[in-house]
Amino acid sequence: MGALTEKSDTELMSLLADGDSGCLDELMKRHQDLVFSVAYRMMSDRESALDATQDVFINVFRKAKYFRGDSALSTWIYRVTMNVCYDSLRKRKRHPTESLPEHADPPDATGEDPYSSVELRPSIQEALDSIPNEFKAAVILSDIEGLSIAEMEMVLGVPSGTVKSRVFRGRRLLAEILGNLKDPT
Amino acid sequence: MPKSLGTSKTLHDVQTMMHEHDLDRIAAHVSGLEDASALIESCPICREEFELQRCIKAELGSLDKPVLSQIEQQRIARAVRISVATPSQARFNRIAWGAVAASFVVLFGFTALLAGHPDGDRPRTSLESSATDSYSPESEEGFSTGPLGVPSDGGAGQGINDGSSDVATLDRAPSEQFVEFDSVDAFVSEVAERKSDTVLYPASGTEGEGRCDSQISGLILVRLAGRIDGVDLIGYLVETSTGREIEVLFADSCERYEFTKGE
């Protein structure tokens, strides 16, 4: 296993494409936080984000042969993550279920919430949840993940003009919901 | 001085407002991807838009990144490993294990039949034996019975039955029974509370040693198997040179589980 840690992402993906599933653990170690972070903001609840993270790595394994190495693996994984999240959100829309909002959980008796450091600020997360998915994805990738326009083009599969427009409109919608716009026009 | 239009707005203001506000460009400027400083400085509308976009970006950027806990990482890794086992592999495994099981059944059946007639008589079937065997006090004295109902009666038969009992012992799952806990904190508390238990587990080389005990340095005072969110853990209370410590290991890999209070 020591050798795997020294291999590049591209080498690991090449091995994975040849059916060496042992590489998956190493790839997961490297990229699972990235995947979970995006999935958590897109899905807005921890359980769904965990399911999405799991699905992403299953897809990474199954689609490893399609990774050509033209972009960084992280960019490709962002794209897989977005597709998984879009699918899950579509399914959720078709079969809506009542889930408890995380901030409505009963207070921890010990007073030490393990996830206190990832406090979901309801206002901004709720605002994110109420804008269309394509704008939500754009602002998450741009303003939370810090991707460049070129990377976002690849992740979202749209031209740079559309990326910029989605970021602008996404922020505008958030501003309206959060009340930053004093006189919306 | 720009010419006044009779209102509070100057001609310059109006000209500025009439220019095409490239709001997407301003958004890109906020993201640090393009330079639209000239636009922002020259036009109050563009400046206002810039401030608004900058504010939202700051709001989004201030959100902490969620982090996977160790247990969640284990859970995902396990689920992915199960899912990526290819159908052909799974099929091969099923066939292989099926063949092994069938071989054992045949072997046991054959040896048990032989055991039924150590003097070389014709093998009796289980139906024959159950129908023809008369009462034997041995059967009530704990002598085991072969898989096909043929009583074992010492000699070769006894040896065979000992062997089968060994197989059963090997096949048995580890003795730890995993108790469900809501959190690692509750699990660790339970381990700590058991410090008064009188059963001491020496750290090495004794019967009943847990599979992961070799990873623990020091005298194991308490060993407790727990399950949190589907992940099996083993908690130890250990006496070391610096005092008593609690160690938690993943039951399947015996790797150390780094826990924090409140987890």
Side-chain angles (χ1 to χ4, degrees), chain A residues 24 32 40-41 46-47 50 54 58 115 117-118 121 124 142 145 149 164-165 168 171-172 180-181, chain B residues 23-24 27 31 33-34 49 52-53 55 59 62-68 72-73 75 79-80 83:
Chain A
L24 204 51
Q32 62 191 0
Y40 189 57
R41 293 296 163 208
R46 201 167 184 94
E47 266 316 301
L50 288 170
Q54 182 182 314
I58 293 167
Y115 306 126
S117 62
V118 267
R121 295 162 57 192
I124 189 87
S142 162
E145 296 299 315
I149 294 280
K164 286 186 214 169
S165 174
F168 161 71
R171 285 189 194 141
R172 261 260 157 174
N180 293 48
L181 284 177
Chain B
L23 302 180
D24 292 349
S31 301
L33 303 169
E34 270 188 43
E49 190 61 46
L52 184 76
Q53 298 260 331
C55 179
E59 280 272 307
S62 69
L63 286 170
D64 288 332
K65 285 211 170 190
V67 179
L68 284 164
E72 288 168 337
Q73 287 179 19
R75 185 178 134 191
V80 170
S83 294

Side-chain angles (χ1 to χ4, degrees), chain B residues 10 48 56 207 228 246 251-252:
Chain B
T10 64
E48 196 178 321
I56 294 297
E207 198 176 346
I228 297 128
I246 290 177
D252 54 358

Side-chain angles (χ1 to χ4, degrees), chain B:
Chain B
M1 182 75 180
K3 185 183 172 186
S4 172
L5 294 176
T7 66
S8 59
K9 289 184 171 62
T10 64
L11 178 62
H12 174 73
D13 287 340
V14 173
Q15 282 171 341
T16 308
M17 286 177 198
M18 291 296 284
H19 86 116
E20 196 178 334
H21 308 294
D22 192 345
L23 302 180
D24 292 349
R25 223 180 129 200
I26 291 168
H29 176 86
V30 171
S31 301
L33 303 169
E34 270 188 43
D35 183 18
S37 326
L39 273 181
I40 293 159
E41 281 164 19
S42 64
C43 169
I45 291 173
C46 290
R47 197 177 312 129
E48 196 178 321
E49 190 61 46
F50 167 73
E51 283 302 326
L52 184 76
Q53 298 260 331
R54 195 179 55 77
C55 179
I56 294 297
K57 182 184 186 308
E59 280 272 307
L60 289 164
S62 69
L63 286 170
D64 288 332
K65 285 211 170 190
V67 179
L68 284 164
S69 71
Q70 262 192 310
I71 284 184
E72 288 168 337
Q73 287 179 19
Q74 283 279 94
R75 185 178 134 191
I76 291 171
R78 184 176 298 179
V80 170
R81 262 184 242 125
I82 290 167
S83 294
V84 302
T86 58
S88 57
Q89 269 180 330
R91 195 164 54 242
F92 171 76
N93 285 343
R94 278 199 299 275
I95 291 166
W97 282 112
V100 169
S103 306
F104 267 103
V105 168
V106 170
L107 186 67
F108 270 113
F110 187 65
T111 51
L113 285 172
L114 283 178
H117 58 102
D119 53 351
D121 280 355
R122 178 180 63 86
R124 292 180 298 175
T125 63
S126 58
L127 277 175
E128 280 176 330
S129 65
S130 61
T132 57
D133 279 347
S134 56
Y135 169 79
S136 161
E138 289 168 352
S139 61
E140 284 197 343
E141 290 169 6
F143 278 68
S144 55
T145 306
L148 293 178
V150 181
S152 60
D153 48 20
Q158 188 67 50
I160 286 162
N161 283 316
D162 285 344
S164 68
S165 117
D166 283 344
V167 170
T169 307
L170 287 172
D171 283 346
R172 207 154 43 222
S175 59
E176 279 107 352
Q177 285 192 326
F178 291 90
V179 182
E180 295 279 352
F181 287 91
D182 292 337
S183 65
V184 175
D185 225 16
F187 177 51
V188 168
S189 301
E190 183 67 25
V191 174
E193 277 173 19
R194 294 197 180 195
K195 61 177 176 283
S196 58
D197 285 6
T198 51
V199 181
L200 301 183
Y201 294 94
S204 64
T206 59
E207 198 176 346
E209 182 185 36
R211 200 170 60 83
C212 298
D213 288 6
S214 58
Q215 302 297 316
I216 301 294
S217 52
L219 180 69
I220 298 172
L221 302 176
V222 173
R223 180 177 60 219
L224 181 65
R227 179 171 294 143
I228 297 128
D229 203 10
V231 176
D232 294 336
L233 300 172
I234 302 175
Y236 292 92
L237 181 66
V238 186
E239 184 84 65
T240 67
S241 56
T242 54
R244 288 185 174 184
E245 288 173 9
I246 290 177
E247 299 273 7
V248 179
L249 306 182
F250 287 107
D252 54 358
S253 63
C254 295
E255 284 173 11
R256 205 159 298 271
Y257 174 78
E258 305 295 341
F259 61 94
T260 52
K261 196 174 180 306
E263 193 170 341

Side-chain angles (χ1 to χ4, degrees), chain A residues 7 25 29 31 46-47 52 55 57-58 75-76 81 111 119 122 126 135 144 149 152 162 164 178 185:
Chain A
K7 290 194 186 301
D25 279 346
K29 273 184 203 157
H31 299 284
R46 201 167 184 94
E47 266 316 301
D55 289 346
F57 285 104
I58 293 167
T75 309
W76 189 75
T81 306
E119 179 194 5
E126 279 174 7
F135 301 132
I144 299 179
I149 294 280
M152 287 171 67
T162 311
K164 286 186 214 169
L178 293 169
T185 51

Side-chain angles (χ1 to χ4, degrees), chain A:
Chain A
M1 287 302 284
L4 286 181
T5 58
E6 289 158 20
K7 290 194 186 301
S8 69
D9 279 351
T10 310
E11 287 171 323
L12 289 175
M13 285 301 282
S14 174
L15 289 169
L16 199 61
D18 291 338
D20 182 354
S21 60
C23 305
L24 204 51
D25 279 346
E26 179 59 26
L27 285 166
M28 284 175 69
K29 273 184 203 157
R30 293 184 194 181
H31 299 284
Q32 62 191 0
D33 285 338
L34 168 160
V35 171
F36 181 65
S37 168
V38 173
Y40 189 57
R41 293 296 163 208
M42 284 297 289
M43 308 301 296
S44 78
D45 80 273
R46 201 167 184 94
E47 266 316 301
S48 303
L50 288 170
D51 289 345
T53 306
Q54 182 182 314
D55 289 346
V56 166
F57 285 104
I58 293 167
N59 278 342
V60 165
F61 175 76
R62 290 186 180 152
K63 297 179 179 177
K65 58 180 177 289
Y66 299 115
F67 176 70
R68 298 190 304 268
D70 297 341
S71 62
L73 178 63
S74 57
T75 309
W76 189 75
I77 288 181
Y78 271 123
R79 183 169 181 135
V80 175
T81 306
M82 277 302 166
N83 289 337
V84 166
C85 289
Y86 281 154
D87 283 348
S88 300
L89 290 167
R90 267 195 294 268
K91 279 179 200 158
R92 187 189 280 182
K93 206 173 175 182
R94 278 202 298 269
H95 308 286
T97 52
E98 281 294 321
S99 63
L100 285 173
E102 298 208 351
H103 52 272
D105 286 346
D108 187 353
T110 64
E112 288 181 341
D113 179 1
Y115 306 126
S116 57
S117 62
V118 267
E119 179 194 5
L120 254 185
R121 295 162 57 192
S123 58
I124 189 87
Q125 186 63 52
E126 279 174 7
L128 269 174
D129 290 342
S130 53
I131 65 175
N133 289 335
E134 64 266 33
F135 301 132
K136 183 179 180 178
V139 291
I140 287 172
L141 293 174
S142 162
D143 295 346
I144 299 179
E145 296 299 315
L147 265 61
S148 70
I149 294 280
E151 287 171 321
M152 287 171 67
E153 272 185 73
M154 281 190 257
V155 173
L156 300 174
V158 293
S160 63
T162 311
V163 169
K164 286 186 214 169
S165 174
R166 284 186 186 178
V167 171
F168 161 71
R169 291 184 62 191
R171 285 189 194 141
R172 261 260 157 174
L173 287 167
L174 287 175
E176 281 175 24
I177 294 162
L178 293 169
N180 293 48
L181 284 177
K182 292 189 185 84
D183 182 21
T185 51

